[in-house]
Amino acid sequence: MDDSWVDEVLAFWFEELEPKDWFEGSDALDDTIRTRFGALHERLAGGQVPPEVMEEPRTALAAVIVLDQFSRNIHRRSARAFAADDMALRIARNAVDKKFDDDMTPEERQFLYMPFQHSEISADQEHSVMLFKSLGDEEAIKYAVEHRDIIEKFGRFPHRNRALGRESTREEIAFLEGHVGFGQ
C-alpha cells in the first residue's frame, strides 16, 4: 500500500469537509466516504495496517480517522460502525504515548483523541477528558465529559445497544428518549 492514502484522507477530512460535516452526519456524506474510502477502510479494518501508523504522526492520524470516523459513516446504525474501535484506540494510544500530537493542530488532535472518547472503558474516558481539556476548547471538553459521564452511569453507551444487539435497561431507554440523535 503506497502512502498516498494518508494525504487523501487528511485532505478530505480537514480541507474538503467543513467542521459541521464532522459531527452532523448525512446520507450523502456517508455515501461519499463509502465510495471514496470504502476499500481503504476494509483493508485497514481487516488488519492490513502499514507499520508506519505506529511510527509516523500523519499516518497515525489518517488511520485513526479511517478506523474511528469513517467506520461510523460507512456502517452507520450497524455493529460494524464500532468494529474497528479497538484498533483505532491502539493507534491513538501509541500516538499519544509517542507525543505525535505535540505538533498537530487542535483539530487534528481532536480526531486523534476521539477513540478514547468512543471507548466504553472508564479509564479511557478519564484519559479522554484529560486530553480534550488540553485542547482548551470548551465545546470539545463538554462532549468528552458527557461521554465519560454516560460510561460512568451505564458502563456502556446505550445508543449502541440496538446496533450491537444488546438489551436496553429501563434506565437506558429513559436516557435515550431524552437524548435523541446522540451518537448516531
Side-chain angles (χ1 to χ4, degrees):
M1 178 186 307
D2 72 39
D3 60 356
S4 64
W5 68 272
V6 172
D7 292 333
E8 290 172 28
V9 167
L10 297 178
F12 173 76
W13 196 252
F14 294 109
E15 296 170 24
E16 289 183 44
L17 296 183
E18 298 290 324
K20 68 178 180 63
D21 297 321
W22 297 334
F23 302 109
E24 289 180 7
S26 71
D27 290 339
L29 178 59
D30 293 351
D31 289 343
T32 298
I33 291 172
R34 192 176 297 108
T35 299
R36 286 181 62 183
F37 300 103
L40 170 65
H41 177 270
E42 289 304 311
R43 282 195 307 274
L44 294 182
Q48 295 181 36
V49 179
E52 294 81 18
V53 301
M54 302 306 249
E55 300 302 327
E56 206 284 308
R58 288 176 43 80
T59 307
L61 177 60
V64 165
I65 289 169
V66 170
L67 295 168
D68 184 74
Q69 297 297 308
F70 288 3
S71 290
R72 284 160 170 75
N73 292 98
I74 292 169
H75 301 294
R76 190 175 302 279
R77 291 179 284 285
S78 80
R80 290 188 70 196
F82 316 109
D85 282 5
D86 288 344
M87 190 180 299
L89 182 59
R90 193 171 335 113
I91 294 166
R93 183 173 281 119
N94 176 73
V96 169
D97 289 349
K98 290 185 175 179
K99 301 188 183 312
F100 289 174
D101 50 332
D102 283 357
D103 293 324
M104 291 183 181
T105 68
E107 292 81 13
E108 291 168 339
R109 290 170 56 203
Q110 178 176 348
F111 286 99
L112 184 67
Y113 301 159
M114 270 309 173
F116 292 94
Q117 189 175 103
H118 289 154
S119 174
E120 290 187 319
I121 297 169
S122 293
D124 292 334
Q125 288 297 321
E126 291 299 332
H127 199 75
S128 169
V129 170
M130 181 202 70
L131 291 167
F132 278 92
K133 282 182 177 178
S134 76
L135 294 175
D137 178 333
E138 291 303 317
E139 187 79 1
I141 294 166
K142 179 184 96 164
Y143 285 111
V145 168
E146 183 176 74
H147 281 74
R148 182 205 56 204
D149 291 351
I150 292 169
I151 294 301
E152 227 172 65
K153 183 173 185 171
F154 299 108
R156 62 188 186 175
F157 290 117
H159 62 276
R160 294 182 186 175
N161 288 352
R162 182 178 298 178
L164 296 174
R166 302 187 300 207
E167 189 76 26
S168 292
T169 66
R170 283 190 188 136
E171 189 178 31
E172 288 174 332
I173 291 167
F175 169 80
L176 290 170
E177 287 171 355
H179 291 84
V180 176
F182 180 84
Q184 296 299 316

